[in-house]
Amino acid sequence: MSPPLVELRNVSKRFFGTHAVNGVSLTIDEGTVHVLLGENGAGKSTLMKILAGVVKPDAGEILIKGQKVEMENPWDALRLGIGMVYQELTLVPTLSVAENICLGDLPCKGPGHVVNWQLVRERALAALGRLGVDINPDAKVGNLDLGQQQLVEIARAISRHARLIILDEPTSALTSNAREKLFAVIRALKKEGVAFIYISHHLDEVPMIGDVVSVLRDGKLVATKAVAEVDDQMLIRMMVGRTLEEQYPQEQARPGEEALRVEGLAAGHRVKDVTFAVCYGEVLGLAGLMGAGRTEVLETIFGMRRLDRGRIWVNGREIGAWSPQEAIRAGLALVTEDRKNSLVLQNSIKFNLTLASLGLHSRMGLMNGSKEARSAVDLVKGLRIEPPHVTRAVRTLSGGNQQKVVLGKWLCSRARIFLLDDPTRGIDVGAKVEVYRLINELKRGGAAVVIASSDMGELMGICDRIAVMRSGRVVNEYNAREVSQEDILAAAMGGTVA
Amino acid sequence: MKDLGGVAPKADTSVKNRGMGVFELLGKGAAGFALVLLIVYLSLATPSFLDLNNFLNIARQSSINAILAVGQTLVIIAAGIDLSIGSVMALAGCVMAVAVVKYGVPLFAAVLLALLTGVAAGFLNGYVISRGRVPDFIVTLGGLSAYKGLALIVTDGLPIAGIPAAIVWLGSGDILGIPVAAVGAAIVAVIGWFLLTHTTFGRAVLAMGGNQEAARVSGINLVRTKILVYCFAGLCAGIASIFMVGRLNSANALMGTGLELSAIAAVVIGGTNLFGGQGGIGGTILGVLTMGVLANGLDLLNISAFWQQVVLGVVIVAVVVFDQWRRRRWGM
């Protein structure tokens, strides 16, 4: 038996002390599609970056056709026949299809390294021909639709003689037509012996395109199975793992008046039909996978996106189109998904804490310095922000402390309705627990909280109710105490659980 | 990060930042450092430099650049840039001069007209930038040409003479031995400093320049802030025009040519970040004085005006290079 095309043996990678990938072994055979499943943060991306030469593993080895290889950078990987197609495509939209396919390896002639355009075109045509797709090599990439652009990326990998192509959530933004086209290309290349690693969040795609499926959880490989041996329910159970212990401090909900209600919300192409309500003294979770539209829903409510359809009520009063200023005045707060979008990093803790409540700290436009200082010092103490120097630039704080400054800004503005977009993203475990505690304090103090997150366990731990979003719609709502993680994941992914 | 200069003891949550460390003082800007070096050198090199009258002369010559640079500072901190202020200044001065000389408008009203012209031009800049979502650079580049053109139209391309004595006094007179224009510049600088550090408008400017997205999420009205900051730059240009017309004892449409670049140079030498969010009036004044002292000193050293341009260019780049190095070195 000949050795497998690519083999990973006990590969590990640590980031800041936590294992992103922990002792994973994986075998990929020629002419197969290997589906990789796992929740966000399970280690899929890191593992693939290791294979693509972007990240160097701390331990373990990579073998290609039985030969141990070392990869220093993506070019090494490419030379060894491993091509990666990222979710965010890496084409240059202003250049032609042919130029993009040959980019980085343009064939030249003569002493002046003049590009041989004829050869560029021929190579592009050959690659597109192997895919069996009809794309004009002279077309500008920016004028192609997303599905076609993806095929161009695959053609680029093929033109470099890739034997293994990694596809990172290739269908997340595709229409079903484009998806069929992509699958046809994959099947055609499979026949030539090209192997694929296919990362997906869509369970229904597993039997459609996969031969083998592997599930990752918390950086570890849970299992590798033939697709024929598994069903949706098994896969979900493998992804979620054992039931979560009670690791989240929780308060009993005593819901008061209705704080916020949205009905039939639609905005742009990411938010299509969202309905939910949240009361004071209650925490509502907004679950959903990446790209389900969670962020956009919160931004729309906060007045940062144009409302196309639907209605919003705050404190029982309907509001139409409004601005963040008006939202803040009505007591809303938005903690953005990326902390950097909430903070002016080079400015002080004090500057950032009072930024959303300048009106409360001024009179006729004149800042009240002592009042401002008092607010800042109180918040720094109350939130245990470290180091407790209000003049310190926020840039110098740790991620968890920066997040506390963001929350502090909204406490300072006397917000009562908190929209938190993935508030524990990228902060360490200790800081996470502090953020959970803060959310509980908000709830005890009678605030209404909406938390968007793709961490199902987190949502089940801190929420009273959970609304699940899929492709811009709220598809189901659960009582957090009566739902299993499997149910939520199934609703978010559109699979079924018997 | 290490505490530099031992500013605050560990558990101190007080806001006041008493006692600057040496590094932090140095951190106030490469401009201060360059200025001190220049003064020391020129004092030793030429006997006529270290003289009160010479310093008053420098102050007089720097005042118009200072007034324009104060407006420019706020614009640049807000992550904008105003290339039109030289032309706006010329237009405002010409409008005032024509109003007084040709139409016999009362002096007070004419001065007000100059200020209004400046504010209106600034408003137009800010409005088109924020509402039309056109880059600051493009809009004010257009303004640079258009406002100068309007000034030429207003004056028919001719210098306007016969400026009232009161205006001439503002431009070249003294008050208690100090040039009136320098007093004017000091007042404008204090106003600019106060706006930036003590008002909600100043906060909005700093936040918008530092991180536009964060400012928006925090409820800062970006459109209003942008328009206001350009209005302030226009107002400064209007104020500068009065002193300029007084100093020239005439008005002409080309009197502002190139002044926008001097103002930007002063702001940059003063350590304000060209990408916005960081900087202050104090640094800008140091920048203005550095440029003034340099020009004066090179005159005293009998260096030709041609070489002065070269030296100024080198100094601008050298100061910024030093500033970058200092920030990297000490992380400030």
Side-chain angles (χ1 to χ4, degrees), chain A residues 340 343 365 367 372 389 409, chain B residues 10 198 200 203 211 218-219:
Chain A
K340 290 193 191 71
L343 295 168
M367 292 300 295
E372 190 190 8
H389 302 163
K409 176 171 79 176
Chain B
K10 255 288 170 242
H198 283 75
T200 53
R203 283 305 166 86
N211 185 346
S218 303

Side-chain angles (χ1 to χ4, degrees), chain A residues 114-306:
Chain A
V114 179
V115 175
N116 184 343
W117 290 113
Q118 204 187 332
L119 199 52
V120 168
R121 216 163 163 278
E122 277 168 20
R123 276 197 199 172
L125 274 173
L128 291 167
R130 276 181 72 192
L131 265 61
V133 294
D134 182 27
I135 295 175
N136 179 3
D138 302 320
K140 218 190 222 183
V141 160
N143 294 337
L144 303 180
D145 65 42
L146 224 59
Q148 288 176 314
Q149 293 190 15
Q150 206 155 44
L151 297 177
V152 172
E153 285 251 20
I154 295 175
R156 175 153 80 179
I158 286 297
S159 82
R160 306 282 159 78
H161 313 290
R163 306 290 302 152
L164 169 66
I165 296 177
I166 303 166
L167 300 171
D168 188 5
E169 292 192 44
T171 55
S172 58
L174 294 191
T175 61
S176 56
N177 233 339
R179 183 164 84 167
E180 275 316 309
K181 192 95 202 165
L182 174 70
F183 285 177
V185 166
I186 292 175
R187 286 186 197 111
L189 291 171
K190 246 173 79 170
K191 287 210 185 81
E192 296 185 24
V194 177
F196 289 87
I197 292 180
Y198 189 102
I199 299 176
S200 180
H201 272 316
H202 297 279
L203 288 182
D204 54 342
E205 291 180 349
V206 177
M208 287 166 81
I209 193 70
D211 298 307
V212 184
V213 55
S214 290
V215 177
L216 285 179
R217 188 177 68 233
D218 301 328
K220 289 185 188 148
L221 182 69
V222 179
T224 298
K225 303 256 182 209
V227 166
E229 296 172 16
V230 294
D231 58 29
D232 283 3
Q233 204 183 338
M234 261 174 85
L235 290 173
I236 290 177
R237 204 169 302 135
M238 287 198 285
M239 286 165 68
V240 174
R242 61 196 153 66
T243 53
L244 271 173
E245 303 117 58
E246 287 291 322
Q247 57 165 306
Y248 301 97
Q250 222 200 1
E251 284 282 315
Q252 191 55 45
R254 275 186 302 267
E257 298 270 292
E258 182 179 279
L260 169 73
R261 164 181 292 278
V262 298
E263 266 178 27
L265 203 67
H269 63 283
R270 280 290 181 82
V271 181
K272 287 169 187 148
D273 182 9
V274 172
T275 298
F276 65 76
V278 60
C279 298
Y280 286 111
E282 188 187 35
V283 180
L284 173 77
L286 205 54
L289 304 171
M290 256 179 234
R294 293 169 288 146
T295 299
E296 291 80 1
V297 167
L298 298 187
E299 288 182 355
T300 308
I301 294 171
F302 200 64
M304 295 179 65
R305 281 169 186 269
R306 223 189 60 189

